[in-house]
Amino acid sequence: MSTVGPTVTLTTGTKALIMMTIQLDNQASNRQGTAAIEISGASSVSPSDGPAVHIYSSANDAHQFSLVYIQEGLTVGSNTFKVKYKAAGGTTVNFAWRRLAVMDLGS
């Protein structure tokens, strides 16, 4: 997942509440688009290792998603949270209305 969307950097304890909302619009039938969170800085969490939103639908079929979860096991310190995207199967997926909020939950 190389395309980057909203980014939030903050000092966290070992837990954070992550809230993402995004619209995915598949541009070809039966193709998949994915949006997930990458965490870097004091912690290192790949977007493929955590929760994600996926779309697999017919062409020009937009869906709005929200994803809310608690990320545990963070390293205390400055962490950067980035929304990352990918489209599978060589198709185009439009990602719009992207929002990211992160709240420290301490240790």
Side-chain angles (χ1 to χ4, degrees), residues 14-45:
T14 59
K15 297 182 284 189
L17 177 65
I18 300 173
M19 299 159 280
M20 173 182 69
T21 184
I22 187 169
Q23 180 183 30
L24 285 76
D25 183 3
N26 205 1
Q27 297 299 295
S29 291
N30 302 318
R31 295 290 187 257
Q32 181 175 328
T34 302
I37 307 295
E38 175 184 80
I39 305 170
S40 60
S43 305
S44 180
V45 178

Side-chain angles (χ1 to χ4, degrees), residues 60-73:
N60 301 313
D61 193 10
H63 298 274
Q64 185 76 27
F65 296 94
S66 291
L67 176 67
V68 178
Y69 66 99
I70 295 174
Q71 177 68 52
E72 297 183 292

Side-chain angles (χ1 to χ4, degrees), residues 36-104:
I37 307 295
E38 175 184 80
I39 305 170
S40 60
S43 305
S44 180
V45 178
S46 167
S48 61
D49 292 338
V53 294
H54 305 278
I55 186 172
Y56 187 85
S57 67
S58 43
N60 301 313
D61 193 10
H63 298 274
Q64 185 76 27
F65 296 94
S66 291
L67 176 67
V68 178
Y69 66 99
I70 295 174
Q71 177 68 52
E72 297 183 292
L74 297 172
T75 300
V76 176
S78 179
N79 286 294
T80 300
F81 301 79
K82 297 177 188 173
V83 180
K84 300 197 83 176
Y85 316 94
K86 74 174 180 179
T91 190
T92 299
V93 177
N94 292 329
F95 300 93
W97 301 102
R98 302 165 295 174
R99 301 291 181 265
L100 175 65
V102 182
M103 184 172 62
D104 173 44

